[in-house]
């Protein structure tokens, strides 16, 4: 399998595990020192440091009932990104955002994740 195919498969697995709530599965994809950085000023913003913290971040995001629609898996020479459309509703508050979750890879695992959002104010209003 080429490095591009391997990166693509890693992206497919990450999305599948996230949508299924398979936290142990997500953990297997992460380097022990993995990080996940999200913009904004809300309960999921900032940087989660360490694989267990990254898994907890994924659990917290999923606990808000998001639909993680996968639009594309993008690969570069060394890394991978997920293009997503996330939607959810919490009472009268609605989340409808597009994002890129950029994963830097190391030794076949996700070493760091940085998420880029289309609607940071909407994210701040939703994740309270």
């Amino acid at each position: 399998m080429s490095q591009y195919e391997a990166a693509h498969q890693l992206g497919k697995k990450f999305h599948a595990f996230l949508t299924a709530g398979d936290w142990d599965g997500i953990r297997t994809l992460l380097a022990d020192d993995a990080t996940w950085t999200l913009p904004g000023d809300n309960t999921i913003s900032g940087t989660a440091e360490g694989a267990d913290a990254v898994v907890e971040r994924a659990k917290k995001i999923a606990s808000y009932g998001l639909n993680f629609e996968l639009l594309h898996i993008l690969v570069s020479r060394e890394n991978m990104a997920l293009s997503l459309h996330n939607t959810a509703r919490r009472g009268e508050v609605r989340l409808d955002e597009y994002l890129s979750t950029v994963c830097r890879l190391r030794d076949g695992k996700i070493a760091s994740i940085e998420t880029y959002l289309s609607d940071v104010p909407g994210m701040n209003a939703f994740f309270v």
Side-chain angles (χ1 to χ4, degrees), residues 41-42 90 93-94 120-128:
D41 184 23
N42 58 71
R90 185 178 46 75
V93 182
R94 189 170 148 245
V120 174
M123 177 193 173
N124 286 338
F126 190 80
F127 290 101
V128 294

Side-chain angles (χ1 to χ4, degrees), residues 13-30 34-38 43-68 82 84 86 99 101 103 110 113 115 123 126-127:
K13 286 180 184 177
F14 184 85
H15 180 259
F17 291 154
L18 180 62
T19 59
D22 184 345
W23 314 122
D24 292 335
I26 288 178
R27 179 63 181 88
T28 67
L29 304 178
L30 302 171
T35 61
W36 189 354
T37 302
L38 281 154
T43 62
I44 63 165
S45 294
T47 301
E49 297 186 13
D52 293 336
V54 169
V55 170
E56 288 305 311
R57 163 81 46 87
K59 281 184 188 178
K60 187 167 194 168
I61 293 169
S63 77
Y64 281 80
L66 270 66
N67 175 40
F68 304 100
L82 301 175
L84 300 168
N86 290 351
L99 60 125
T101 296
C103 300
I110 298 170
I113 303 169
T115 299
M123 177 193 173
F126 190 80
F127 290 101

Side-chain angles (χ1 to χ4, degrees), residues 63-120:
S63 77
Y64 281 80
L66 270 66
N67 175 40
F68 304 100
E69 179 189 0
L70 179 62
L71 302 176
H72 301 283
I73 298 173
L74 309 163
V75 296
S76 71
R77 181 169 289 280
E78 298 174 359
N79 301 301
M80 169 273 294
L82 301 175
S83 173
L84 300 168
H85 178 212
N86 290 351
T87 55
R89 183 175 293 281
R90 185 178 46 75
E92 294 298 314
V93 182
R94 189 170 148 245
L95 180 73
D96 187 352
E97 64 185 5
Y98 291 89
L99 60 125
S100 290
T101 296
V102 177
C103 300
R104 287 174 181 76
L105 308 180
R106 182 178 69 232
D107 299 327
K109 295 201 174 220
I110 298 170
S112 69
I113 303 169
E114 184 171 5
T115 299
Y116 297 78
L117 295 169
S118 65
D119 184 11
V120 174

